[in-house]
């Protein structure tokens, strides 16, 4: 695949300033993550906190990226795929072909 960004794969029509703003926001959100266990709050040392607001955003970006890459590697949607949509980290679609071809 080479050096291609998620923004390019997702075909976002963003300016360079908008991309930089998003990347800065993600970095700040990851750097300042906190989690709660019982009555105690803990600073996240590594990774993204489960249930954090940035978690959903990054899940959407990741799913969109992966979906576009798979469709691209297939050469586009198969004719039996009548459509699909993604919502947060779920993908749904309508397949009107036989089971063997779906595999």
């Amino acid at each position: 695949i080479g050096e291609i960004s998620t923004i390019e794969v997702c075909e976002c029509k963003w300016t360079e300033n908008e991309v930089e703003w998003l990347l800065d926001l993600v970095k700040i959100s990851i750097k300042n993550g906190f989690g709660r266990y019982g009555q105690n709050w803990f600073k996240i040392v590594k990774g993204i906190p489960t249930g954090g607001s940035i978690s959903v955003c990054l899940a959407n970006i990741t799913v969109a990226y992966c979906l576009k890459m798979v469709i691209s590697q297939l050469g586009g949607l198969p004719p039996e795929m009548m459509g699909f949509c993604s919502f947060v980290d779920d993908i749904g679609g309508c397949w009107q072909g036989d089971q063997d071809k779906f595999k």
Side-chain angles (χ1 to χ4, degrees):
I1 296 172
E3 298 274 334
I4 187 165
S5 76
T6 303
I7 300 273
E8 291 170 320
V9 170
C10 295
E11 299 175 8
C12 297
K13 308 295 185 223
W14 291 11
T15 66
E16 191 172 320
N17 286 340
E18 290 169 324
V19 172
E20 288 303 316
W21 170 82
L22 176 64
L23 294 175
D24 288 344
L25 182 62
V26 169
K27 288 174 190 174
I28 289 168
S29 296
I30 290 172
K31 184 178 171 183
N32 294 300
F34 284 86
R36 189 171 120 179
Y37 182 74
Q39 298 300 316
N40 300 311
W41 288 89
F42 299 91
K43 176 143 179 55
I44 303 298
V45 177
K46 198 176 200 182
I48 301 167
T50 302
S53 58
I54 193 68
S55 304
V56 174
C57 296
L58 293 177
N60 281 333
I61 292 168
T62 302
V63 168
Y65 174 81
C66 293
L67 191 56
K68 288 277 186 169
M69 294 305 295
V70 167
I71 291 170
S72 174
Q73 289 175 359
L74 290 172
L77 283 177
E80 295 86 0
M81 179 63 82
M82 302 311 295
F84 71 92
C85 63
S86 64
F87 180 74
V88 186
D89 59 353
D90 294 324
I91 300 171
C94 181
W95 179 263
Q96 294 196 339
D98 60 39
Q99 269 188 320
D100 290 331
K101 194 161 185 184
F102 184 75
K103 296 176 185 178

